């Protein structure tokens, strides 16, 4: 009698290894503790379904519980049935609890951004209610490559090219977010589902050319691979990793230097002009952004940051610069930032 165990499909093994590595890291960095609940954000698509199956298998081996949160965006006819189907699949995999949350998606920032914001708010709320410190997301290397390419096309600077981090601790109340599969291709998650007998749901919006990301995925990326050869997604993902490392180092230096440059007052915060001028542009700009964000909760755009930096490098007596909810003024050897009432239509500071 043949007693050999059936060979594990390589795609299933790859997804399980990715989840095992993420959970071990989360335990090591005390993001989670023994017995904690880890939630999988499950849409029913191949990526999140493969992730759910792997998490159901791996979490108990590391002393963790595994559940699922399913966000029903209510943007398509039949969305309730799709959510119910994903819920049944999660339960069959042994995930518990399985929470389905129906949300209202706004319009701010466009449909993709609004859906993303509603999804994050839902996941955060469910995680808090279930006392889960970690939510796993099904982003793959393909998603990472598309994110980098979108940032490049928008010309929004190196920070936007860093892509998505594999583990993000929250800077506000909420769970940490883990992306175990950023080194795996989308084809791997599909193969893992097929090998496991799991039938994913294919979201029709993933083929709707009205969405910029869909056009990048279905039109632009194939052209790049055809013209430049295979390996474009992997190269873009490597670029994100390298830029994220560089960005983290610059942020670290800026935070260390800010203590020497900054002076706090009742009106706000000011920075030393000579010390700002002595630093390279990348650090100077980070110091300005850091001061404004830490003091007023306002994130400056690159153009706004450069305009403030002209008070340091190209000052000819020009007056104050009005930013969203903040006013920047040069007086002598310091650039000061103080709160101001925003003009009509401007966002409030911290809003």
């Amino acid at each position: 009698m043949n007693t050999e165990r059936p060979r594990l499909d390589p795609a299933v093994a790859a997804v399980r290894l990715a989840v095992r590595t993420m959970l071990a890291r989360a335990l090591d960095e005390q993001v989670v503790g023994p017995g904690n609940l880890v939630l999988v954000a499950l849409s029913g698509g191949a990526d999140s379904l493969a992730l759910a199956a792997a998490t159901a298998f791996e979490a108990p081996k590391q002393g963790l519980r595994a559940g699922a949160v399913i966000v029903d965006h209510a943007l398509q006819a039949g969305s309730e049935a799709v959510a119910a189907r994903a819920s049944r699949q999660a339960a069959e995999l042994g995930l518990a609890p399985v929470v389905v949350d129906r949300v209202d998606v706004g319009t701010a920032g466009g449909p993709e951004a609004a859906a993303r914001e509603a999804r994050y708010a839902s996941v955060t709320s469910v995680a808090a209610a279930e006392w889960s410190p970690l939510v796993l997301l099904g982003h793959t290397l393909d998603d990472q490559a598309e994110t980098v390419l979108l940032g490049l096309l928008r010309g929004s600077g190196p920070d936007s090219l860093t892509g998505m981090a594999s583990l993000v601790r929250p800077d506000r109340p909420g769970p940490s977010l883990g992306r175990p599969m950023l080194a795996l291709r989308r084809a791997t998650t599909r193969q893992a589902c097929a090998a496991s007998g799991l039938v994913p749901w294919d979201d029709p919006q993933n083929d709707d050319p009205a969405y910029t990301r869909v056009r990048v995925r279905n039109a632009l990326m194939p052209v790049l691979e055809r013209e430049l050869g295979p390996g474009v997604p992997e190269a873009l993902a490597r670029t994100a990793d390298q830029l994220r490392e560089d960005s983290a180092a610059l942020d670290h230096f800026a935070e260390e230097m800010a203590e020497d440059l900054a002076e706090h007052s009742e009106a706000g915060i000011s920075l030393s002009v000579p010390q700002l001028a002595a630093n390279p542009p990348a650090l100077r700009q980070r110091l300005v952004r850091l001061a404004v964000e830490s003091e007023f909760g306002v994130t400056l755009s690159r153009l706004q940051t450069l305009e403030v930096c002209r008070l340091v490098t190209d000052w000819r007596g020009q007056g104050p610069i009005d930013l969203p909810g903040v006013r920047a003024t040069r007086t002598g050897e310091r650039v000061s930032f103080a709160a101001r009432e925003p003009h009509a239509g401007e966002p409030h500071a911290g809003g």
Side-chain angles (χ1 to χ4, degrees):
M1 183 174 66
N2 186 0
T3 59
E4 284 188 14
R5 295 173 61 186
R7 182 172 178 269
L8 185 63
D9 184 89
V12 174
V15 179
R16 286 182 180 179
L17 175 60
V19 171
R20 188 185 319 144
T21 303
M22 171 60 69
L23 295 180
R25 177 185 172 188
L27 283 163
D28 184 57
E29 297 182 12
Q30 299 183 333
V31 173
V32 296
N36 280 172
L37 172 66
V38 176
L39 288 173
V40 175
L42 177 61
S43 69
D47 299 338
S48 63
L49 195 55
L51 175 62
T55 305
F57 183 85
E58 293 291 342
K61 295 178 178 295
Q62 302 205 37
L64 298 166
R65 296 179 294 125
V69 52
I70 299 159
V71 180
D72 178 4
H73 297 84
L75 293 175
Q76 303 176 49
S79 66
E80 288 185 8
V82 171
R85 180 175 183 264
S87 178
R88 290 193 299 272
Q89 289 176 310
E92 290 166 1
L93 289 169
L95 297 173
V98 178
V99 180
V100 177
D101 188 27
R102 189 176 176 89
V103 298
D104 293 322
V105 177
T107 57
E112 291 172 279
R116 186 167 56 248
E117 185 65 27
R119 186 163 54 248
Y120 177 78
S122 171
V123 164
T124 299
S125 174
V126 171
E130 299 295 337
W131 297 93
S132 173
L134 177 63
V135 176
L136 300 183
L137 307 174
H139 296 117
T140 64
L141 185 146
D142 296 84
D143 296 304
Q144 182 77 297
E146 291 159 11
T147 298
V148 174
L149 194 52
L150 282 166
L152 182 64
L153 294 172
R154 289 167 180 155
S156 43
D159 285 350
S160 71
L161 303 183
T162 60
M164 299 174 285
S166 59
L167 183 60
V168 180
R169 291 174 179 261
D171 54 8
R172 51 183 173 175
S176 294
L177 301 178
R179 298 180 175 93
M181 304 191 301
L182 284 180
L184 302 181
R185 296 297 303 268
R186 196 171 284 137
T188 301
T189 66
R190 284 207 164 272
Q191 174 57 30
C193 287
S196 303
L198 298 171
V199 180
W201 169 66
D202 290 320
D203 185 350
Q205 289 188 340
N206 287 339
D207 289 316
D208 186 349
Y211 296 98
T212 306
R213 183 177 286 270
V214 172
R215 295 196 299 274
V216 167
R217 177 182 305 157
N218 294 343
L220 182 55
M221 194 70 76
V223 169
L224 290 175
E225 291 202 271
R226 185 174 67 248
E227 297 298 327
L228 302 178
V232 171
E234 289 85 353
L236 289 168
R238 286 196 303 273
T239 298
D241 291 340
Q242 294 165 14
L243 285 172
R244 197 178 311 111
E245 292 168 0
D246 291 348
S247 182
L250 287 170
D251 286 342
H252 174 73
F253 291 139
E255 288 168 7
E256 283 194 335
M257 297 173 62
E259 296 180 10
D260 296 328
L261 273 75
E263 286 185 5
H264 293 270
S265 66
E266 289 185 11
I269 191 171
S270 67
L271 301 175
S272 163
V273 167
Q275 288 176 284
L276 283 174
N279 282 290
L283 267 177
R284 184 186 310 132
Q285 292 160 24
R286 272 174 163 75
L287 287 163
V288 167
R289 286 197 300 268
L290 177 63
V292 173
E293 186 165 6
S294 61
E295 187 73 15
F296 305 101
V298 172
T299 302
L300 298 182
S301 69
R302 175 172 171 79
L303 288 177
Q304 290 164 344
T305 304
L306 291 175
E307 192 64 22
V308 172
C309 287
R310 288 186 62 239
L311 296 177
V312 176
T313 60
D314 190 26
W315 190 55
R316 293 178 174 81
Q318 59 264 44
I321 297 172
D322 283 346
L323 306 164
V326 181
R327 174 167 290 155
T329 307
R330 174 160 175 175
T331 306
E333 294 295 277
R334 302 200 73 82
V335 173
S336 302
F337 301 91
R340 69 175 182 85
E341 286 299 317
H343 301 312
E346 274 188 356
H348 288 265

